[in-house]
Amino acid sequence: MLYAGQFAILKKPLTLPGFRTLPLSGGWALSFHEALRVFYLPKHEVLLLGLAWQTLPGKASPERELEALSECCEGPLSDKQLMELEESWCGRYVLICGDRVFLDACGLMPVFRSAAGVSDSLTLLAEAMDLDTKIYEPGKVMNWMPGPLTPYPEITRVMPSQICCFDSGETRLRPLLAHACPDVADEEERVRVFADVFANSLRNMREKLPEHTFLLALTGGYDSRTLFALAKYAGLDFDAYTLEYDGIYLEDTELPKELCRLTGTQHHFIPRDHSRYSAELEDEYLRHTAGLIRDADRLFYAHGQYQELAAPYGETALLRGSIWETAVEFYGRSFDGSGPKEDFCDWFCVPEKSREKQSLDQYFDWQKHVSRPGLAPCDAFYWEQRAGCWLSAIEDGFDLLEHTVSLQPANCRLLISMLLKFPREERIVKEHQARIIRFACPAIADVPFGKNTVPDQTILKILAHKLKRLGCRIETRGLLRTLSLYIGMMKKKN
């Protein structure tokens, strides 16, 4: 259903099927779909929209923490109080106090803003403003719309490093990293402390969703296996699943079954039946997400694979591991110590004078004024753009599935900050994740990781893929700039 689980804060309430309205101060009104969790404290006008849980042992749930803070404070709640409270929360949510909007760690519940108000749905906000609906068409390399701009000149995106004030229009800086992150010197102890905090978070997540069946996405790679191992360490009851996609890696079909065999876990493989493809479902997905992302989940939905997976279970929670690469310098090739390299746009095939280029220019200008010790520029970019813009649109798409919620258990400021405490030389090759896996689930410690082997892969197919990307760069940036990019790459290799 379009707009399922979504909200908007506007001067005029929305009258849409399944929507409710909560009057706010200043003439504003919160309109929200009945599937969205809403926690409201009239004192200080605090709203927690979405699903949030606590990661740290000995601390209360987000709702109880907000109640305690509100009760003990007669004056306004400060940014500092709210940020320090929120940094140990996990989930997909938006925290609002008065007119101030605070995103979850990676902004997985996005917030779009305009003079008319704010919403987690770009399409909903545009329609409320009587703008013509736009379905964005991203590029082939940067396959998402980078923030803070959107396809609508009248609407921008709030980034994870920002506090948005929708009444005054002000934007303030907020730190990405947690201010109170344990600094453990001993390497083995660091693994144990992280595993214990993560396991506690998973158990609190379980308490938050007692009626749900948990299904964990599992491939042959590091990220899903790290989550798998930690879920075993936490004693979480779950099944694993793998969805087939066109050109699926061989390891993604073989290794999940082996991991599940070794741990006594039930594994579900959902094949792709091309006869079940629905153009209507794909159109619904693109409209719901405004086309801000063109990635695999769109096609899983259009082929009915998620629907088939969840059908036998009733209320279902999908556990996914898409946050881990925030700490591995994923885009290190395109950055140096101070920011993006000169060939950044060449590498991502971003055209000059494009809306994407304007948006990236604004974003990097914002980053020049931000001091982030311990966070490499490429990791900040991944955090805010790849997770904050790319992944948030994917998570948005899961709202279309009835009785199903997608969860990213690493989406917590504290957990990401703890990952960044591991030595850089370990993180960039994911050895820190291999160590976490060995500690949390020794039974799978010796299973190799996938090497992204494509079935029937030949030199001609590899060459065809490289030529396709080369053609994209020539089309976007021109022949001379593309040649200059590749010559520079060859010189660095030599």
Side-chain angles (χ1 to χ4, degrees):
M1 174 184 174
L2 194 64
Y3 306 139
Q6 297 185 319
F7 76 89
I9 297 178
L10 305 164
K11 289 290 187 176
K12 183 179 179 181
L14 296 174
T15 55
L16 293 170
F19 268 65
R20 302 174 184 175
T21 298
L22 178 65
L24 303 175
S25 63
W28 296 97
L30 168 69
S31 299
F32 62 97
H33 185 264
E34 58 192 3
L36 178 68
R37 292 175 180 242
V38 175
F39 177 76
Y40 179 54
L41 293 173
K43 184 182 179 182
H44 299 110
E45 202 162 69
V46 173
L47 285 160
L48 180 59
L49 309 178
L51 180 64
W53 63 87
Q54 178 66 252
T55 62
L56 287 175
K59 295 194 71 173
S61 69
E63 293 86 353
R64 302 293 81 79
E65 285 196 318
L66 288 171
E67 284 179 337
L69 179 63
S70 182
E71 288 172 4
C72 74
C73 293
E74 293 303 320
L77 303 182
S78 69
D79 291 353
K80 184 173 184 290
Q81 288 174 307
L82 292 166
M83 288 189 295
E84 290 184 358
L85 207 64
E86 182 269 344
E87 68 182 22
S88 63
W89 300 352
C90 194
R92 180 172 177 256
Y93 58 88
V94 171
L95 174 62
I96 299 172
C97 183
D99 80 324
R100 291 170 291 164
V101 177
F102 303 80
L103 304 185
D104 62 46
C106 291
L108 296 191
M109 181 176 283
V111 172
F112 301 95
R113 63 184 297 185
S114 72
V118 297
S119 175
D120 64 334
S121 168
L122 181 59
T123 303
L124 181 60
L125 184 56
E127 289 195 356
M129 298 169 65
D130 294 323
L131 301 175
D132 292 336
T133 301
K134 294 182 180 181
I135 304 299
Y136 175 66
E137 295 187 9
K140 297 175 183 177
V141 178
M142 183 173 280
N143 65 337
W144 75 93
M145 175 68 205
L149 301 187
T150 74
Y152 298 91
E154 303 89 345
I155 303 174
T156 58
R157 175 195 284 272
V158 182
M159 303 301 287
S161 61
Q162 296 176 332
I163 299 170
C164 155
C165 303
F166 57 81
D167 197 10
S168 67
E170 181 186 3
T171 299
R172 295 200 289 271
L173 173 69
R174 72 160 301 171
L176 287 175
L177 296 170
H179 90 288
C181 179
D183 193 2
V184 183
D186 181 78
E187 293 186 8
E188 296 305 319
E189 183 69 2
R190 187 185 297 116
V191 172
R192 186 194 65 77
V193 170
F194 178 84
D196 285 346
V197 173
F198 202 102
N200 185 75
S201 176
L202 291 177
R203 288 189 284 267
N204 287 341
M205 176 192 70
R206 166 81 274 177
E207 290 184 10
K208 205 80 173 183
L209 298 168
E211 304 301 322
H212 285 64
T213 297
F214 284 79
L215 302 174
L216 190 148
L218 190 59
T219 68
Y222 283 81
D223 300 340
S224 64
R225 192 179 305 186
T226 309
L227 178 57
F228 181 92
L230 288 166
K232 287 294 180 184
Y233 182 69
L236 195 69
D237 182 22
F238 68 93
D239 290 353
Y241 73 90
T242 305
L243 305 185
E244 184 182 23
Y245 54 89
D246 295 340
I248 187 171
Y249 297 135
L250 288 176
E251 294 90 349
D252 286 354
T253 63
E254 298 169 354
L255 293 178
K257 289 184 283 189
E258 177 65 6
L259 295 168
C260 290
R261 184 189 68 80
L262 291 170
T263 56
T265 306
Q266 187 169 357
H267 178 256
H268 308 273
F269 183 82
I270 308 298
R272 172 162 294 178
D273 182 351
H274 289 280
S275 69
R276 293 186 59 189
Y277 168 78
S278 167
E280 290 78 14
L281 286 179
E282 183 171 6
D283 288 343
E284 180 184 45
Y285 188 97
L286 292 173
R287 180 172 169 77
H288 185 80
T289 61
L292 293 176
I293 177 64
R294 301 289 173 108
D295 215 288
D297 290 276
R298 173 184 100 259
L299 296 177
F300 290 141
Y301 182 75
H303 285 88
Q305 289 170 276
Y306 278 124
Q307 298 89 320
E308 179 183 346
L309 171 70
Y313 296 102
E315 299 297 325
T316 306
L318 306 178
L319 303 183
R320 292 156 36 83
S322 308
I323 303 291
W324 298 94
E325 288 179 330
T326 305
V328 301
E329 299 192 15
F330 187 84
Y331 290 121
R333 156 65 186 81
S334 303
F335 287 79
D336 57 28
S338 59
K341 295 179 181 178
E342 290 184 5
D343 63 2
F344 176 90
C345 288
D346 293 327
W347 188 254
F348 281 96
C349 294
V350 176
E352 291 286 353
K353 300 181 181 179
S354 64
R355 186 122 183 104
E356 293 84 353
K357 179 66 163 56
Q358 294 171 13
S359 188
L360 289 167
D361 286 346
Q362 284 197 24
Y363 173 73
F364 288 128
D365 184 63
W366 170 265
Q367 294 303 300
K368 290 176 184 176
H369 307 289
V370 179
S371 175
R372 294 197 176 108
L375 184 63
C378 56
D379 284 339
F381 179 84
Y382 192 100
W383 189 324
E384 298 212 78
Q385 295 287 353
R386 181 78 171 185
C389 299
W390 171 81
L391 182 59
S392 70
I394 292 174
E395 296 302 308
D396 190 31
F398 283 98
D399 289 335
L400 288 168
L401 295 171
E402 293 187 53
H403 309 293
T404 302
V405 59
S406 171
L407 304 172
Q408 294 283 353
N411 186 38
C412 169
R413 229 168 281 277
L414 176 63
L415 291 175
I416 298 174
S417 300
M418 292 176 72
L419 286 174
L420 288 163
K421 292 287 186 179
F422 283 88
R424 177 181 179 273
E425 60 271 17
E426 288 187 8
R427 289 189 286 106
I428 60 178
V429 294
K430 298 194 175 186
E431 173 57 25
H432 68 307
Q433 290 181 241
R435 291 177 60 206
I436 291 169
I437 293 166
R438 287 195 295 270
F439 172 83
C441 190
I444 62 173
D446 295 329
V447 178
F449 294 95
K451 296 180 180 179
N452 297 347
T453 306
V454 177
D456 302 320
Q457 189 174 40
T458 64
I459 293 177
L460 285 177
K461 287 185 177 181
I462 296 172
L463 182 60
H465 175 75
K466 291 183 179 294
L467 287 174
K468 185 177 179 180
R469 176 161 285 202
L470 173 63
C472 173
R473 290 200 169 99
I474 292 174
E475 178 184 350
T476 306
R477 309 295 293 177
L479 178 60
L480 291 179
R481 294 191 66 160
T482 303
L483 286 175
S484 177
L485 172 67
Y486 279 81
I487 290 170
M489 292 168 56
M490 291 173 63
K491 285 181 178 178
K492 287 182 180 178
K493 285 185 178 180
N494 295 331

